[in-house]
Amino acid sequence: MALVKIKVWDGWVRAGHWLLAGLVGLSWWSAETGRMELHLTSGYLILSYLLFRLAWGFFGSDTARFSKFLRSPVAALGHLAHLFRREPDREVGHNAAGGWMVLALLAVLLVQAGSGLFADDDILAHGPLAGFVSGDTSYFLTTLHGWNFNLILLLAGLHVAAVLLYALAKRQDLVRPMVTGSKRLPDGTVAPRLAPLWRGVLLVGLSGAIVWWISTLG
Ligand code: HEM
C-alpha cells in the first residue's frame, strides 16, 4: 500500500497538548511543595488552554473539531473490538474510542480548573472566586478539587497506556504525529482542513483575556 505524508494535527493542538501535559505535572508538584502562587499561575494557564481547546473544538482545524472526532458509542466499541489487531494506521484524527477519551480528559481537567477557582485551603491560598460563594460551597469545591485530581491521574494513565498499546500491539506510532503534526497514511486519504493562523491567535487571546479577568476578581 502506497503511503503519503499528511498534516493531521495543527500547531495549536500539538503545542497545547505538550504544554498541558507539562502544566498538569507542574500543578501537582507546586501543590505538593506548597508553591501556591506557581500553582495558581499553572491553573490559570490550564484553564486558558481548556477554554481555547473548547472553542477550537468548534472553530478549529478538522481534526480538532468535536463534530469530526466524536462518533457513536457503537463505533467506539467497534474500534475497541480490534484493539489488539496489527493493522496499518488509517486514522486522520482521533479514532472512535480515543475521541471519547479526549472528551473525558478535557471534562475532568475543566472540573479541576473550575473548582480551583472557588477553592480555599484557609492557610496558603484561595481561588479568585472563593469569596463569591458560601463557605460550605467553597469547602465542597475544595474537596472536589482534591478528589478529582485522582480521576485525572487515572484517565491520564489510561491515555498513556493506550498510546503504548498502539505502539506495541498495533505497531502504530501516535506520538510522532503529535510532535511533528504529520502521519503517513494510505494514498488517496483526504487531508483535513487546517484553520487559519489568525483564528487561533484570536481564540488564544480571548481565552487568555477571560482567564486574566477572572484572576483579577479575587
Ligand atoms: C507522556 C505523556 C503523554 C503522551 C505520550 C501523550 C500522547 C498523546 C497522543 C499520541 C495523542 C493523540 C492521540 C491520537 O492519535 O488520537 C494525545 C492526545 C491528547 N492527550 Fe496526551 N499524551 C501524554 C500525556 C497527556 C496528559 C498528561 C494529558 C492530560 C492530563 C493528555 C491529554 C491529551 C488530550 C486532551 C489529547 C487530545 C488532544 C487534542 O485533540 O487537542 N495527554 N496524547
Side-chain angles (χ1 to χ4, degrees):
M1 182 173 41
L3 299 175
V4 287
K5 201 166 142 187
I6 292 180
K7 177 95 180 271
V8 292
W9 302 118
D10 62 39
W12 300 105
V13 166
R14 287 180 284 139
H17 174 266
W18 296 116
L19 187 72
L20 174 68
L23 287 172
V24 168
L26 182 65
S27 293
W28 168 80
W29 176 78
S30 51
E32 286 293 304
T33 55
R35 292 172 168 82
M36 295 315 283
E37 225 169 283
L38 184 60
H39 185 74
L40 261 73
T41 305
S42 179
Y44 290 141
L45 287 172
I46 291 179
L47 186 58
S48 307
Y49 163 76
L50 291 172
L51 292 186
F52 164 77
R53 184 62 188 87
L54 287 183
W56 208 233
F58 294 98
F59 306 110
S61 305
D62 275 356
T63 47
R65 293 199 182 204
F66 300 119
S67 61
K68 301 275 180 187
F69 71 74
L70 287 180
R71 286 176 248 164
S72 72
V74 177
L77 288 176
H79 180 85
L80 292 178
H82 53 93
L83 196 56
F84 294 94
R85 192 190 301 159
R86 193 173 294 186
E87 56 194 348
D89 192 353
R90 292 194 174 84
E91 300 287 351
V92 172
H94 299 301
N95 64 57
W100 288 102
M101 177 53 114
V102 170
L103 193 71
L105 277 167
L106 293 177
V108 290
L109 288 163
L110 208 57
V111 168
Q112 191 69 6
S115 58
L117 294 176
F118 298 90
D120 187 350
D121 66 4
D122 291 327
I123 316 165
L124 289 174
H126 59 85
L129 304 184
F132 290 86
V133 295
S134 69
D136 280 355
T137 306
S138 176
Y139 179 76
F140 168 74
L141 291 170
T142 309
T143 311
L144 179 67
H145 194 66
W147 274 102
N148 189 59
F149 186 67
N150 295 319
L151 208 51
I152 293 179
L153 281 184
L154 179 73
L155 289 184
L158 274 175
H159 166 63
V160 175
V163 171
L164 270 175
L165 185 70
Y166 273 75
L168 297 175
K170 285 183 167 300
R171 294 274 187 268
Q172 294 181 10
D173 180 1
L174 303 181
V175 178
R176 182 191 281 260
M178 243 319 147
V179 176
T180 65
S182 302
K183 257 189 187 183
R184 294 181 68 76
L185 291 166
D187 198 3
T189 305
V190 179
R193 267 180 313 135
L194 299 176
L197 182 70
W198 66 263
R199 206 181 292 164
V201 173
L202 181 74
L203 292 176
V204 165
L206 262 176
S207 311
I210 292 171
V211 173
W212 176 80
W213 173 70
I214 293 174
S215 76
T216 63
L217 298 175

